[in-house]
Amino acid sequence: FAGVGGYINSDVETAVADVNGEEIALSTFEQAFQSERSRMEAQLGDAFNQLASNEEYLRSFRDSVLTRLINDKLLEQKSQELGIRVSDSELRKTIINMNEFSVGGQFNNERYQAILLQAGFSPEEFRTYMRDQLTRQQFSNAVLGSEFALESEASQFLSIQNETRDARSLE
């Protein structure tokens, strides 16, 4: 086994996907998978464990987690390209207002630290995660909020909306 330690203890991170030159690390995927699995177990209980025992379902579940990570990375890249950014004050305000970290309607730092520890996040990792989430949300809101229609689409919609039908019934 001489020399194998270099492979086992290597700092090289395996990538599960490459999105426009940016890699999604195996550790990122595993953390997202475990997080989603825990969420589903909490939501469905033993029913999820039965589903997860099916190899085909588990493969599909893993694929859906990877697809979500790829989509998130694409949204993140587009947000950066467009200059969409979440300020430190907006991020702080969002975290402080999260009900999960409140005791008696007030932000509680001990609860915040305990929940992050339980979820496997450091405060810095959680801030990064929340900043990414809020950035993607801003991007989605910008896209969804930009409603427009071509003139031909508007006239077609209007003609469909004003269409009448004649119906007769035979008794």
Side-chain angles (χ1 to χ4, degrees), residues 79-126:
S79 296
Q80 286 176 349
E81 182 183 314
L82 296 173
I84 297 173
R85 188 180 168 300
V86 175
S87 70
D88 291 340
S89 62
E90 186 177 351
L91 177 63
R92 186 180 193 304
K93 186 173 116 181
T94 299
I95 292 172
I96 287 174
N97 289 327
M98 291 176 74
N99 292 331
E100 295 88 343
F101 307 132
S102 294
V103 174
Q106 293 287 340
F107 177 79
N108 183 288
N109 195 52
E110 290 80 32
R111 183 167 172 80
Y112 170 73
Q113 296 289 338
I115 289 174
L116 292 187
L117 183 64
Q118 182 182 8
F121 280 108
S122 71
E124 182 59 36
E125 289 170 330
F126 183 70

Side-chain angles (χ1 to χ4, degrees), residues 100-153:
E100 295 88 343
F101 307 132
S102 294
V103 174
Q106 293 287 340
F107 177 79
N108 183 288
N109 195 52
E110 290 80 32
R111 183 167 172 80
Y112 170 73
Q113 296 289 338
I115 289 174
L116 292 187
L117 183 64
Q118 182 182 8
F121 280 108
S122 71
E124 182 59 36
E125 289 170 330
F126 183 70
R127 284 191 297 272
T128 300
Y129 170 78
M130 286 301 299
R131 187 181 305 273
D132 291 345
Q133 291 287 70
L134 291 170
T135 301
R136 283 191 291 272
Q137 185 178 2
Q138 277 187 3
F139 176 76
S140 295
N141 290 344
V143 169
L144 293 174
S146 63
E147 298 176 27
F148 69 92
L150 299 173
E151 188 176 324
S152 61
E153 293 173 325

Side-chain angles (χ1 to χ4, degrees), residues 64-76:
S64 71
V65 171
L66 181 57
T67 298
R68 183 179 51 81
L69 287 173
I70 291 169
N71 288 338
D72 287 351
K73 182 60 78 175
L74 288 168
L75 285 172
E76 177 185 318

